[in-house]
Protein backbone atom coordinates (compact mmCIF):
# COMPACT_ATOMS: atom_id res chain seq x y z
CA UNK A 1 0.00 0.00 0.00
CA UNK A 2 1.29 3.48 -0.94
CA UNK A 3 0.64 6.06 1.75
CA UNK A 4 -1.25 9.16 0.79
CA UNK A 5 0.89 12.31 0.52
CA UNK A 6 0.50 14.63 3.40
CA UNK A 7 1.67 18.09 4.32
CA UNK A 8 3.00 19.09 7.68
CA UNK A 9 2.58 22.79 8.50
CA UNK A 10 4.07 24.69 11.40
CA UNK A 11 2.90 28.26 12.02
CA UNK A 12 3.72 30.89 14.53
CA UNK A 13 1.72 34.03 15.20
CA UNK A 14 4.13 36.95 14.70
CA UNK A 15 1.53 39.70 14.98
CA UNK A 16 3.03 41.07 18.21
CA UNK A 17 6.56 41.05 16.75
CA UNK A 18 5.38 42.90 13.63
CA UNK A 19 3.55 45.44 15.79
CA UNK A 20 6.74 46.04 17.80
CA UNK A 21 8.71 46.48 14.56
CA UNK A 22 6.18 49.08 13.37
CA UNK A 23 6.38 50.94 16.70
CA UNK A 24 10.19 50.90 16.57
CA UNK A 25 10.12 52.20 13.00
CA UNK A 26 7.74 55.00 14.03
CA UNK A 27 9.98 56.01 16.93
CA UNK A 28 13.05 55.84 14.72
CA UNK A 29 11.45 58.13 12.14
CA UNK A 30 10.21 60.56 14.79
CA UNK A 31 13.67 60.78 16.36
CA UNK A 32 15.51 61.03 13.05
CA UNK A 33 13.25 63.66 11.45
CA UNK A 34 12.45 65.75 14.53
CA UNK A 35 13.37 69.43 14.28
CA UNK A 36 14.52 69.28 17.90
CA UNK A 37 18.07 68.12 18.53
CA UNK A 38 17.98 64.67 20.20
CA UNK A 39 20.73 62.64 21.79
CA UNK A 40 20.90 59.30 23.53
CA UNK A 41 23.71 58.39 25.91
CA UNK A 42 24.62 55.22 27.73
CA UNK A 43 24.52 55.13 31.54
CA UNK A 44 28.05 56.54 31.78
CA UNK A 45 27.11 59.54 29.64
CA UNK A 46 28.76 58.52 26.36
CA UNK A 47 26.80 59.57 23.27
CA UNK A 48 25.39 56.62 21.33
CA UNK A 49 22.92 58.46 19.05
CA UNK A 50 22.29 61.97 17.72
CA UNK A 51 19.76 63.00 15.11
CA UNK A 52 20.47 65.30 12.13
CA UNK A 53 18.96 68.29 13.99
CA UNK A 54 21.56 67.76 16.72
CA UNK A 55 24.33 67.72 14.12
CA UNK A 56 23.00 70.96 12.65
CA UNK A 57 22.66 72.70 16.03
CA UNK A 58 26.08 71.65 17.34
CA UNK A 59 28.07 71.86 14.12
CA UNK A 60 29.54 68.39 14.76
CA UNK A 61 29.04 65.34 12.55
CA UNK A 62 27.50 62.22 14.07
CA UNK A 63 30.76 60.32 13.64
CA UNK A 64 32.58 62.94 15.74
CA UNK A 65 30.05 62.67 18.56
CA UNK A 66 29.46 58.93 18.98
CA UNK A 67 31.44 57.77 22.01
CA UNK A 68 32.01 61.32 23.28
CA UNK A 69 30.75 62.82 26.52
CA UNK A 70 28.24 65.69 26.03
CA UNK A 71 30.65 67.97 27.89
CA UNK A 72 32.31 68.37 24.47
CA UNK A 73 29.72 71.19 24.08
CA UNK A 74 30.44 72.76 27.46
CA UNK A 75 30.59 76.53 27.48
CA UNK A 76 32.11 76.48 30.96
CA UNK A 77 29.31 78.80 32.14
CA UNK A 78 27.69 76.28 34.49
CA UNK A 79 29.37 75.39 37.81
CA UNK A 80 30.14 71.77 38.66
CA UNK A 81 27.32 71.81 41.25
CA UNK A 82 24.85 72.43 38.39
CA UNK A 83 25.96 69.23 36.64
CA UNK A 84 26.19 67.25 39.90
CA UNK A 85 22.57 68.12 40.66
CA UNK A 86 21.51 67.12 37.13
CA UNK A 87 23.23 63.72 37.46
CA UNK A 88 21.73 63.21 40.90
CA UNK A 89 18.22 63.72 39.49
CA UNK A 90 18.57 61.48 36.41
CA UNK A 91 20.42 58.72 38.26
CA UNK A 92 17.51 58.59 40.69
CA UNK A 93 15.26 57.74 37.73
CA UNK A 94 13.61 61.15 37.47
CA UNK A 95 13.35 63.55 34.54
CA UNK A 96 15.59 66.64 34.64
CA UNK A 97 14.87 69.88 32.83
CA UNK A 98 16.85 73.11 32.59
CA UNK A 99 18.47 75.76 30.42
CA UNK A 100 21.95 75.09 29.10
CA UNK A 101 24.47 77.35 27.44
CA UNK A 102 26.54 75.22 25.11
CA UNK A 103 29.03 76.04 22.41
CA UNK A 104 29.00 74.96 18.81
CA UNK A 105 31.95 73.34 17.09
CA UNK A 106 32.97 76.80 15.82
CA UNK A 107 32.92 78.22 19.37
CA UNK A 108 29.69 80.21 19.04
CA UNK A 109 27.26 79.89 21.95
CA UNK A 110 23.96 78.09 21.54
CA UNK A 111 21.29 77.95 24.19
CA UNK A 112 18.88 75.10 24.70
CA UNK A 113 16.18 74.07 27.06
CA UNK A 114 17.18 70.48 27.80
CA UNK A 115 14.97 67.69 29.07
CA UNK A 116 16.78 64.47 30.06
CA UNK A 117 14.83 61.31 30.71
CA UNK A 118 16.22 57.96 31.88
CA UNK A 119 15.71 55.04 29.49
CA UNK A 120 14.54 52.06 31.56
CA UNK A 121 14.45 48.40 30.49
CA UNK A 122 11.73 45.85 31.36
CA UNK A 123 13.40 45.12 34.71
CA UNK A 124 13.27 48.79 35.72
CA UNK A 125 17.03 49.23 35.29
CA UNK A 126 18.32 52.45 33.72
CA UNK A 127 20.16 51.59 30.50
CA UNK A 128 20.73 55.09 29.14
CA UNK A 129 19.46 58.66 28.92
CA UNK A 130 17.40 60.45 26.29
CA UNK A 131 17.99 64.17 25.85
CA UNK A 132 15.63 66.49 23.98
CA UNK A 133 16.92 69.98 23.26
CA UNK A 134 14.79 72.98 22.34
CA UNK A 135 16.91 75.68 20.72
CA UNK A 136 16.34 78.98 22.54
CA UNK A 137 19.36 80.82 21.09
CA UNK A 138 17.20 83.37 19.26
CA UNK A 139 15.13 84.09 22.40
CA UNK A 140 18.31 84.59 24.45
CA UNK A 141 19.68 86.95 21.80
CA UNK A 142 16.43 88.95 21.80
CA UNK A 143 16.44 89.06 25.62
CA UNK A 144 19.97 90.48 25.57
CA UNK A 145 18.94 93.08 23.00
CA UNK A 146 15.90 94.06 25.08
CA UNK A 147 17.99 94.33 28.23
CA UNK A 148 20.54 96.48 26.38
CA UNK A 149 17.74 98.72 25.03
CA UNK A 150 16.28 99.07 28.54
CA UNK A 151 19.69 100.01 29.93
CA UNK A 152 20.18 102.58 27.17
CA UNK A 153 16.72 104.01 27.87
CA UNK A 154 17.55 104.28 31.58
CA UNK A 155 20.84 106.00 30.80
CA UNK A 156 19.03 108.40 28.43
CA UNK A 157 16.48 109.25 31.11
CA UNK A 158 19.26 109.78 33.66
CA UNK A 159 21.24 112.02 31.32
CA UNK A 160 18.12 114.04 30.47
CA UNK A 161 17.41 114.47 34.18
CA UNK A 162 20.98 115.57 34.90
CA UNK A 163 20.94 117.96 31.93
CA UNK A 164 17.70 119.47 33.23
CA UNK A 165 19.03 119.81 36.78
CA UNK A 166 22.28 121.36 35.57
CA UNK A 167 20.54 123.43 32.89
CA UNK A 168 18.14 125.26 35.24
CA UNK A 169 20.86 126.86 37.42
CA UNK A 170 22.95 127.61 34.33
CA UNK A 171 20.00 129.38 32.74
CA UNK A 172 19.62 131.51 35.87
CA UNK A 173 23.35 132.26 35.95
CA UNK A 174 23.33 133.08 32.21
CA UNK A 175 20.39 135.46 32.73
CA UNK A 176 22.17 137.17 35.61
CA UNK A 177 25.35 137.52 33.56
CA UNK A 178 23.37 139.10 30.73
CA UNK A 179 21.70 141.53 33.14
CA UNK A 180 25.10 142.47 34.61
CA UNK A 181 26.60 142.93 31.14
CA UNK A 182 23.77 145.28 30.14
CA UNK A 183 24.05 147.32 33.28
CA UNK A 184 27.78 147.86 32.96
Amino acid sequence: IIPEPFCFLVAKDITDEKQKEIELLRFSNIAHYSINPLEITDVSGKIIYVNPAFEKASGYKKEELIGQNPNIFSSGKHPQQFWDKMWEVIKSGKVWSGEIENKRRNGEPFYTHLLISPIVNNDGKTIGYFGIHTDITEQKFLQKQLLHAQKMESIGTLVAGIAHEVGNPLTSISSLVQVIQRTT
Side-chain angles (χ1 to χ4, degrees), residues 97-113:
S97 179
E99 285 187 10
I100 305 289
E101 180 179 345
N102 286 318
K103 65 179 179 180
R104 290 186 169 91
R105 189 171 201 273
N106 65 7
E108 292 178 3
F110 75 100
Y111 301 88
T112 64
H113 185 269

Side-chain angles (χ1 to χ4, degrees), residues 79-146:
Q80 187 58 45
Q81 296 87 354
F82 177 86
W83 300 113
D84 291 344
K85 180 67 177 164
M86 184 265 309
W87 276 106
E88 180 183 319
V89 170
I90 63 174
K91 282 184 174 182
S92 72
K94 296 178 185 167
V95 173
W96 180 87
S97 179
E99 285 187 10
I100 305 289
E101 180 179 345
N102 286 318
K103 65 179 179 180
R104 290 186 169 91
R105 189 171 201 273
N106 65 7
E108 292 178 3
F110 75 100
Y111 301 88
T112 64
H113 185 269
L114 174 59
L115 183 133
I116 302 174
S117 176
I119 302 170
V120 181
N121 67 11
N122 291 338
D123 299 327
K125 182 181 176 193
T126 299
I127 58 171
Y129 301 100
F130 183 68
I132 304 170
H133 297 259
T134 304
D135 188 351
I136 57 172
T137 303
E138 185 66 25
Q139 291 94 321
K140 287 291 188 181
F141 178 72
L142 291 174
Q143 282 177 344
K144 285 181 180 180
Q145 282 186 323
L146 178 61

Side-chain angles (χ1 to χ4, degrees), residues 13-160:
D13 184 2
I14 59 168
T15 305
D16 289 342
E17 292 173 22
K18 287 297 182 184
Q19 187 62 37
K20 287 179 184 177
E21 284 179 23
I22 290 170
E23 288 176 17
L24 185 59
L25 182 62
R26 284 181 186 146
F27 171 77
S28 175
N29 283 326
I30 289 169
H32 189 76
Y33 295 109
S34 172
I35 61 169
N36 288 342
L38 305 176
E39 68 182 304
I40 298 175
T41 67
D42 63 16
V43 289
S44 66
K46 300 268 189 270
I47 298 171
I48 58 175
Y49 172 82
V50 294
N51 69 347
F54 195 94
E55 291 179 276
K56 183 179 177 185
S58 70
Y60 288 90
K61 296 288 179 201
K62 179 172 86 171
E63 297 77 25
E64 296 174 282
L65 296 173
I66 302 301
Q68 296 290 327
N69 188 294
N71 66 10
I72 191 173
F73 314 109
S74 178
S75 64
K77 303 285 175 122
H78 303 283
Q80 187 58 45
Q81 296 87 354
F82 177 86
W83 300 113
D84 291 344
K85 180 67 177 164
M86 184 265 309
W87 276 106
E88 180 183 319
V89 170
I90 63 174
K91 282 184 174 182
S92 72
K94 296 178 185 167
V95 173
W96 180 87
S97 179
E99 285 187 10
I100 305 289
E101 180 179 345
N102 286 318
K103 65 179 179 180
R104 290 186 169 91
R105 189 171 201 273
N106 65 7
E108 292 178 3
F110 75 100
Y111 301 88
T112 64
H113 185 269
L114 174 59
L115 183 133
I116 302 174
S117 176
I119 302 170
V120 181
N121 67 11
N122 291 338
D123 299 327
K125 182 181 176 193
T126 299
I127 58 171
Y129 301 100
F130 183 68
I132 304 170
H133 297 259
T134 304
D135 188 351
I136 57 172
T137 303
E138 185 66 25
Q139 291 94 321
K140 287 291 188 181
F141 178 72
L142 291 174
Q143 282 177 344
K144 285 181 180 180
Q145 282 186 323
L146 178 61
L147 186 59
H148 179 72
Q150 288 172 336
K151 286 180 182 177
M152 295 306 290
E153 181 183 358
S154 296
I155 290 171
T157 303
L158 178 64
V159 168

